[in-house]
Structure formats: structure tokens, C-alpha cells
Amino acid sequence: MGDVLSTHLDDARRQHIAERTGKILTEFLRFYEDQYGVALFNSMRHEIEGTGLPQAQLLWRKVPLDERIIFSGNLFQYQEDNKKWRNRFSLVPHNYGLVLYENKVAYERQVPPRAIINSAGYKILTSLDQYLELVGNSLPGTSSKSGTAPILKCPTQFPLILWHPSARHYYFCMMTEAEQDKWQAVLQDCIRHCNNGIPENSKVEGPAFTDAIRMYRQSKELYGTWEMLCGNEVQILSNLVMEELGPELKAELAPRLKGKPQERQRQWIQISDAVYRMVYEQAKARFEAVLAKLQLARPAMEATIRTDMDQIITSKEHLASKIRAFILPKAEVCVRNHVQPYIPSILEALMVPTSQGFTEVRDVFFKEVTDMNLNVINEGGADKLGEYMEKLSQLAYHPLKMQSCYEKMEPLRLDGLQQRFDVSSTAVFKQRAQIHMREQMDNAVYTFETLLHQELGKGPTKEELCKSIQRILERVLKKYDYDSSSVRKRFFREALLQITIPFLLKKLAPTCKSELPRFQELIFEDFARFILVENTYEEVVLQTVMKDILQAVKEAAVQRKHNLYRDSMVMHNSDPNLHLLAEGAPIDWGEEYGGSMGDSGSPSVPEAATHSEKRRRAKQVVSVVQDEEAELPFEAGSEPLSPASPDSVTELRGLLAQDLRAESPPPAGPLLNGALSQESPQPTAASEASSPPASPLRQPPPGKAADLEPPKPSDQETGEQVSSPDGCPPIHTTTEDSAGVQTEF
């Protein structure tokens, strides 16, 4: 690898790459500085005027679920340095950075991980054919002929490959198809989370950055959606540079690569990754410097905006009226002929899979709460409630249980419309809808938690608890239906704008864009940082099509398509005290209701637990998904009940009442998640009894539990960070089922 890089990336070429990168960054950062003032003004104006959005009925977590492990298990990773497959112990912490350890022993001994992978911008491939096709297309003239050795051989039929257009690739494989499906769902969740890297609570820096990206690409005649708007600001900026720099380097270096096709492919992947790392470091330094400069100037800008807010608004409205008078006739004709006829088709294509996904969220939530209720009845009231609620609280972050919801978005197609409106991919819409699904699921779960916690303060009996859970479930479902409708309507409006606005701007550019500079004289010099002609022009174009979009979504709601509520249906203060409940401290179900149970069936958390013991438990790493997760023993039925049907609710109430009267005997053995656990050694110390008998992830090494922190993933999309082996001797085990077995193929 070193010879390849030293040959093709010598000092002269590295200097050229740095200069080319610097030029692109300078041009972009000029757009960013311009957009920062506009975003700051819009944010402050928004705070004063408000939005008028309907009030959400569900609560949302103000304290996120940190210090949790989303998934843990073993997989085989291909080592490119020695071209061997190694068995790695892998886990995904709450921040969704895939962490790879030498083995489970290394993890338990707190040996630094082998790698931490940030998956923003990556795609998951489940077959070598898919991968070889992408690699072949990335370097023309290197497609492998039949009979030639491919760039990679997989020892099993179940590979998982993380592919990136510029950064290095990661190769994994599993022993069974079930493992492949499980890891695919987990890694896709990592990608979905990491792609959404710009914080939504960033009201100035975030909008300024995304608007600057759009303006910069439009200045290069690139309109429409962009697939590589993935990750945090520095990752996106690196992708932006590579979008221009990559083809230039490929044209220059591809003819100089030597060897067989697969060897030239391997060389290009190494070169591209090295260049990407160089670009990332340069982009990081430049962006942070400009951001620091803008943040220093922000107080003075805010003071100007507060003093002259009315004058700035008046000046902007005057500018907008002049631009509107100029472009309105052309824009209306363009909308009428090229956009308006297609809005219903685009909306229908979006509504079907999105609404199916949100319905699935509702069904999964209903089933999980119902199964929990049935198990609480059969297991003796509230004794197991803490354990079940601890699991339910993490439902939205359970990749496997949420997979059926996310899969509903996969059929999304804009057949015939995608090319017309220059939509490169529907992935951005799928991912956004899936994020909304996860948020709404978590809001429903958290609202249910809060209401149930309030009810438990009354000390209900087992029968009263059962009825309370069912009543709270129905109450939360009504709130979910309302919020789900509001979220979907907003998503449809935003998606329609995201599809149609770039198309309109591209259509109008030849006749309108060249005339925009003459409107600059209408802006007072003191307000030039907060009002831009280009932004005002886009707002006017947006207004020309917005009324048609609003009308289309309104008609869909009036017709009750896909369970959308009409805009006139507003739930004001339907639960005035509910939001006050959310102001309290986060609920610790395991702490308050004995989430960890000993074999005797009694809560293992003593009332007089010491402060250090509570701290130790709080630091425990709890896996949301386990390798061998048992099903709940008492299911609602062989066919899932549909919460949308009134008959199913009646049937469920009868079933619950019947179970209450039956007084079924307790299970013969200890239960894990409501199922009979496998035979396991009995705890030998009181400290061990305070943890549920689950995977080793639930019970860190003695004396080190309080110090365990999930490793934070690097924000560097270049991927792997290999820890230094100095001072850390390799750990080898020979146990057949140990995570530390080093397997070679």
C-alpha cells in the first residue's frame, strides 16, 4: 500500500491536491459566510413571530437514552493488510459508531478497540456481485472478465460490505442468513443515524450550511437532490470537494495504474481513501476557523438585528415585491405547465409507503404494550414491570423490532417523475421518513412511560394495573394518530418542495438569473448581511408553487386518505397537565421497580442501596438487542391484533379479563424478557444478583463497571481508527465458542 501511495501521491501531487481543495473550500466558505447572516436573521425573526404549527400531543425525551449498547455480537472482518478474515467482537453504542474489538475478552478488560467506524455516506451491499459492479464502474476499463479472480473472495455466502464512493471500504461476513439479516438491520440503523449528522436543534449554523451547499452546487449548474449530503458539516464538505476533485484525479491517475484489473481497482480504492483523508483534515481546519470567526461576530450581528428588525423586514418585503413583479408571470406559467399536473402523482407516491410505515409503528407499539400487559398479569403484577418497561423504553432504538416499520419505505419510487424533476435518488426521502418514524415511536413510548409512572403512584392492584395499562395505551394511540398525521403532512409538504423547487429554479435560470444583480441596489448597505437577493428570489419562487402543494395535501386530508386528519381538526390543550409531568427527572424503571430480578422472584435492588451501588448500576452497559433474544411467552395471539379495529380492542379486554380470572400458576423457572431462560449458573454474590442474568454485556468486570464508557465514534468519515498495540499484548483464547478465536479462511 505504501508503494502505491508514494508512487501516485508524491509531494508534488499532494501539493496540487491541497491547492485544489483550498480553492474549492474558499469558494464554498464565501457562500457559508453569506448564508450565516441570513440564517441568524431568520432564526431571530422566527422566535419573535412564531410558526403557528399545531401543538404536539405526545411528549418527547429531553434527556436521551445514553449509556446503552444498541447491539453486540461477533462478525468476521477482512483484514486488508494481511488479506485474512478475523473474528471480531463488535458493538454499537448509543452514538451509533460501530466499534470493533480484538475479542470479547479485550472488551471486558477495557483494551482500546481495534477500530471505530463512522458509517455516514456508506451503503450496505449484501452480495459480491453488487460490490464488484460498483467497483468496476468506479474505474472505467477495469471490469473483471469471466474467469479472472475478483478483488475480494468471501468465505461464506453471507457478506456485508460497507461501500463509500471516496473513502475506504469495509468487508464483513456472517455464517448464516439470519445473522446477515440481523447485522444488515443494525448497520443500516447506524448509517441512518450517522447520515443525519447536522443537529436539528441548530437553528443558525445548520440552515446556513445546508443553504450554502445548495447555493454552491447551483452555481455549478447542479440542481436537485444530492445523495452525499450525509454526516456532519465536515463530512459533507469533504464529499463536496471530492465531487469535483475525484473525477479530475481519476482521469489523471487511472491510465498510470499497473497490473490486472482487480489490482488496479485495489490501488484506486487506496488512493481515493488517502486523498479523502487529506481533504477531510484540510476541510476540518478551514471550516472550524471560519465558524469560530462567525461566532465571534454573532453578538454584534444580533444587536443590529434586534435594533433594526422592523426596518430589515420592511426592506426585505420591498425587495420581494420587486422580484415578484419581475418573475411572477414566468414562474406561474412554468408551474402551471410543468409542475402542477404532476403534484398529485408525486404526493400519492410519497403517501402510500410513508403512511404504511407509520401504521406499522402504531401496530408494533400496540403489540409490545399488549404483550407486556399479558405478561405482567401472568407473572404476578408489578414485580416484573420494571424489567419490561426498561426494555419498552428502548423500543424506538431496537433495530430489529423497528425494521418492519423502516421496510415499508423501501418500495418508494417516483417512476417517470424522478428523471423529469432531476431526483438522483429517493434515498433522502426514505431516510427522512424513517427518522420521523423512530421519533414518533419514541414519543409514544415516552408518553406511555410518563402516564404509567403517574398511575403507579396510586398503588394499584394487579387487576387495576392491567386496566390502567390498557386505558393508557388507548389514550396514547389517539395522541399518536394526531401527531402522526401532522408529521406526515409536514413531511409531504417538505418533500414536494424539495422535488419541485430545484426543478423550477433550473427552468427559470436562463431568463431570470442574469437579471438578479440589478435588484442589489434595493438593499441598504447596513442590512446586506441579512438580506440576499438570491435567497429572496428563491422564496418568491417557493411561494408560487406552495399554494398548489398546500392544496394537494389539504385535499388528501379532506378525503381521509391514509388516515390524514383535516387541518381544521386541532387538539388544543386536550391534556393540559401532561406536559407538566415531563418536567420531572427521567424515569429509572430498574431503580424504582426492580428491573433486575433474582431467581427468588423478589426485586434484587435493596431499598437501602448505597450511593456507590446505584452509580455502578447506572454505568452498566445494557444491550437493547441480544444475540439470543427469547420471545415473550404470552402473545396476544397467533395473528397480531390490529389496534385500528374496535373489535380487536373489545377482544383484547375480554382476553385480559379472562387471564385475570384464570390465576395461572407462576412459571417454573426464572424469566428473561418474559420467557423461560436457559440454564445458567446461579449468582454467587449479592453484587451479581443486582444484575439480570443476561449476556456478559449486562455485567461488566468487577471493580470496573463505573469506569466503562462506550467509545465515541470519530466524526471522521474516513472510517477506521486503529488503536496502538504498544503495551497491549495480544489476547488469545482456544475455547471453541469464545469470542476471542482467531479464524482464518
Side-chain angles (χ1 to χ4, degrees):
M1 179 176 174
D3 293 339
V4 172
L5 298 183
S6 60
T7 300
H8 297 287
L9 293 178
D10 54 19
D11 291 341
R13 184 162 285 112
R14 288 174 181 270
Q15 181 64 28
H16 170 73
I17 291 171
E19 292 175 356
R20 187 76 179 90
T21 301
K23 183 179 179 181
I24 296 172
L25 292 174
T26 299
E27 190 175 353
F28 166 79
L29 291 172
R30 193 179 302 118
F31 281 94
Y32 181 64
E33 291 186 57
D34 290 342
Q35 294 300 321
Y36 191 89
V38 176
L40 181 60
F41 167 73
N42 290 338
S43 175
M44 295 180 67
R45 183 179 182 181
H46 169 78
E47 290 178 4
I48 295 173
E49 298 180 351
T51 60
L53 292 175
Q55 181 182 0
Q57 297 298 304
L58 295 172
L59 303 177
W60 56 275
R61 294 185 197 275
K62 296 182 180 179
V63 180
L65 290 173
D66 290 345
E67 299 180 1
R68 296 291 190 273
I69 296 298
I70 303 298
F71 188 83
S72 62
N74 282 41
L75 46 70
F76 293 99
Q77 182 191 16
Y78 181 70
Q79 303 294 302
E80 298 178 74
D81 51 354
N82 58 17
K83 299 182 180 180
K84 296 182 183 296
W85 291 85
R86 300 291 187 186
N87 193 4
R88 299 293 184 218
F89 175 69
S90 312
L91 57 85
V92 179
H94 63 87
N95 45 31
Y96 289 89
L98 178 63
V99 186
L100 303 177
Y101 288 91
E102 188 75 27
N103 47 50
K104 188 177 290 187
V105 176
Y107 163 74
E108 292 172 345
R109 294 182 179 177
Q110 302 187 63
V111 176
R114 296 272 305 181
I116 303 174
I117 301 174
N118 187 306
S119 55
Y122 279 83
K123 290 183 178 179
I124 297 179
L125 307 176
T126 56
S127 76
L128 283 178
D129 291 339
Q130 291 177 301
Y131 178 68
L132 296 177
E133 181 180 358
L134 281 174
V135 171
N137 293 338
S138 67
L139 197 63
T142 61
S143 298
S144 299
K145 298 179 182 179
S146 58
T148 61
I151 187 175
L152 176 72
K153 290 183 179 179
C154 185
T156 73
Q157 300 178 356
F158 311 106
L160 274 184
I161 300 173
L162 291 178
W163 177 87
H164 192 282
S166 302
R168 67 168 295 182
H169 306 159
Y170 295 92
Y171 313 99
F172 305 102
C173 73
M174 292 79 201
M175 300 302 295
T176 66
E177 186 177 3
E179 289 182 27
Q180 184 190 45
D181 293 341
K182 185 194 305 181
W183 274 105
Q184 182 181 3
V186 171
L187 294 179
Q188 191 62 60
D189 220 23
C190 292
I191 293 173
R192 186 181 300 114
H193 181 89
C194 293
N195 280 351
N196 194 36
I198 300 179
E200 295 191 14
N201 58 3
S202 174
K203 303 302 183 184
V204 178
E205 288 81 2
F209 184 84
T210 53
D211 287 347
I213 288 285
R214 190 184 70 255
M215 293 293 186
Y216 175 84
R217 298 188 79 246
Q218 287 175 183
S219 71
K220 306 294 182 182
E221 303 298 326
L222 296 173
Y223 295 83
T225 57
W226 184 39
E227 275 193 281
M228 294 309 295
L229 191 69
C230 303
N232 59 32
E233 290 89 345
V234 179
Q235 291 170 317
I236 295 171
L237 194 48
S238 303
N239 297 336
L240 187 72
V241 174
M242 291 299 294
E243 186 180 31
E244 296 186 40
L245 187 60
E248 296 174 6
L249 284 175
K250 189 182 299 182
E252 183 180 356
L253 296 179
R256 304 183 183 184
L257 300 179
K258 307 298 182 182
K260 296 180 180 180
Q262 63 270 24
E263 184 60 30
R264 299 205 304 274
Q265 291 171 352
R266 191 176 290 111
Q267 292 174 15
W268 174 248
I269 293 172
Q270 294 172 1
I271 292 170
S272 178
D273 176 59
V275 172
Y276 189 88
R277 292 171 184 265
M278 293 169 53
V279 168
Y280 180 93
E281 294 300 332
Q282 191 172 346
K284 186 173 186 289
R286 290 288 303 276
F287 178 75
E288 289 178 351
V290 170
L291 183 59
K293 184 181 74 172
L294 290 170
Q295 289 175 340
L296 284 175
R298 179 168 176 168
M301 296 168 66
E302 290 179 341
T304 301
I305 293 173
R306 288 192 187 95
T307 303
D308 301 326
M309 175 69 79
D310 292 339
Q311 292 92 324
I312 297 174
I313 293 175
T314 302
S315 178
K316 183 178 179 179
E317 290 177 349
H318 176 66
L319 173 65
S321 66
K322 295 296 184 182
I323 294 178
R324 187 179 298 108
F326 168 66
I327 72 161
L328 193 59
K330 302 174 185 178
E332 286 182 338
V333 170
C334 190
V335 169
R336 186 167 59 249
N337 294 336
H338 301 289
V339 175
Q340 198 178 58
Y342 301 99
I343 288 178
S345 301
I346 300 173
L347 180 59
E348 186 66 22
L350 290 168
M351 280 198 301
V352 173
T354 305
S355 297
Q356 289 176 350
F358 276 85
T359 300
E360 183 69 13
V361 170
R362 189 186 201 274
D363 292 348
V364 170
F365 173 67
F366 176 86
K367 181 180 183 301
E368 290 293 321
V369 175
T370 300
D371 290 346
M372 181 197 73
N373 200 2
L374 291 172
N375 279 272
V376 167
I377 296 168
N378 288 277
E379 293 183 22
D383 289 346
K384 279 281 189 176
L385 186 62
E387 180 181 338
Y388 292 143
M389 287 304 301
E390 189 76 16
K391 294 180 182 295
L392 184 68
S393 67
Q394 302 168 83
L395 176 60
Y397 303 94
H398 195 301
L400 306 184
K401 290 183 177 179
M402 290 296 295
Q403 184 64 13
S404 63
C405 309
Y406 298 147
E407 286 176 346
K408 300 297 183 182
M409 287 302 299
E410 293 306 317
L412 174 61
R413 300 287 184 274
L414 297 176
D415 296 330
L417 301 172
Q418 198 162 324
Q419 187 174 1
R420 165 179 286 276
F421 290 98
D422 196 21
V423 178
S424 60
S425 171
T426 58
V428 62
F429 306 112
K430 294 178 183 178
Q431 177 180 291
R432 191 66 199 150
Q434 290 165 345
I435 290 172
H436 283 315
M437 291 176 196
R438 183 174 64 195
E439 290 173 348
Q440 289 300 298
M441 174 67 89
D442 195 44
N443 291 350
V445 168
Y446 181 58
T447 306
F448 179 84
E449 285 185 73
T450 305
L451 292 171
L452 180 59
H453 188 260
Q454 180 193 36
E455 191 69 23
L456 290 172
K458 304 175 183 178
T461 63
K462 182 172 69 173
E463 182 176 355
E464 291 171 342
L465 177 60
C466 165
K467 294 178 180 178
S468 295
I469 290 175
Q470 181 60 30
R471 184 177 66 254
I472 292 171
L473 172 61
E474 294 175 15
R475 184 176 169 189
V476 172
L477 287 175
K478 290 180 181 178
K479 296 177 181 297
Y480 172 84
D481 290 340
Y482 179 81
D483 280 9
S484 164
S485 175
S486 301
V487 168
R488 281 180 290 143
K489 286 191 293 185
R490 186 167 68 251
F491 167 71
F492 296 147
R493 291 192 292 264
E494 292 173 353
L496 285 168
L497 287 173
Q498 198 170 351
I499 292 170
T500 58
I501 292 299
F503 173 80
L504 284 174
L505 293 174
K506 186 176 182 179
K507 280 282 186 182
L508 295 171
T511 57
C512 298
K513 199 166 185 179
S514 60
E515 299 294 325
L516 294 181
R518 67 185 177 90
F519 293 99
Q520 186 65 38
E521 62 186 24
L522 299 176
I523 303 174
F524 291 114
E525 185 177 353
D526 294 342
F527 304 153
R529 296 202 67 175
F530 315 119
I531 305 174
L532 296 180
V533 172
E534 189 76 21
N535 289 64
T536 308
Y537 163 70
E538 289 195 2
E539 290 177 13
V540 172
V541 173
L542 181 149
Q543 291 166 5
T544 60
V545 71
M546 191 64 183
K547 58 185 178 182
D548 294 307
I549 290 175
L550 292 175
Q551 183 62 30
V553 176
K554 181 179 179 180
E555 289 177 359
V558 169
Q559 297 169 14
R560 292 305 301 269
K561 281 188 175 182
H562 309 292
N563 200 30
L564 289 176
Y565 289 169
R566 296 189 301 273
D567 293 339
S568 58
M569 183 175 178
V570 180
M571 297 173 67
H572 287 301
N573 297 322
S574 60
D575 237 335
N577 297 323
L578 180 58
H579 288 270
L580 297 178
L581 295 176
E583 298 298 327
I587 304 169
D588 189 336
W589 290 101
E591 190 80 19
E592 294 188 37
Y593 295 96
S596 300
M597 302 293 295
D599 291 340
S600 63
S602 60
S604 59
V605 181
E607 293 182 4
T610 64
H611 176 74
S612 60
E613 176 69 8
K614 292 180 180 179
R615 177 176 174 80
R616 189 192 73 79
R617 287 196 302 271
K619 288 292 183 182
Q620 285 185 3
V621 181
V622 181
S623 180
V624 178
V625 185
Q626 301 172 13
D627 288 337
E628 296 179 2
E629 184 165 8
E631 294 292 335
L632 293 171
F634 307 107
E635 299 290 344
S638 57
E639 296 183 1
L641 298 174
S642 171
S645 170
D647 294 336
S648 66
V649 176
T650 305
E651 180 182 351
L652 174 63
R653 285 173 171 161
L655 180 60
L656 292 174
Q658 182 180 0
D659 283 336
L660 279 170
R661 292 192 300 268
E663 295 184 357
S664 57
L671 289 161
L672 176 63
N673 193 21
L676 287 171
S677 63
Q678 302 296 325
E679 292 183 8
S680 59
Q682 300 298 318
T684 59
S687 61
E688 292 178 11
S690 64
S691 301
S695 67
L697 282 179
R698 287 180 171 270
Q699 191 166 329
K704 295 185 179 181
D707 300 326
L708 279 180
E709 293 284 354
K712 296 182 179 179
S714 167
D715 62 351
Q716 197 167 341
E717 191 178 0
T718 52
E720 204 166 351
Q721 290 188 331
V722 181
S723 59
S724 173
D726 296 338
C728 299
I731 300 172
H732 299 283
T733 60
T734 56
T735 306
E736 182 177 354
D737 296 329
S738 169
V741 174
Q742 298 295 312
T743 306
E744 299 182 14
F745 292 90

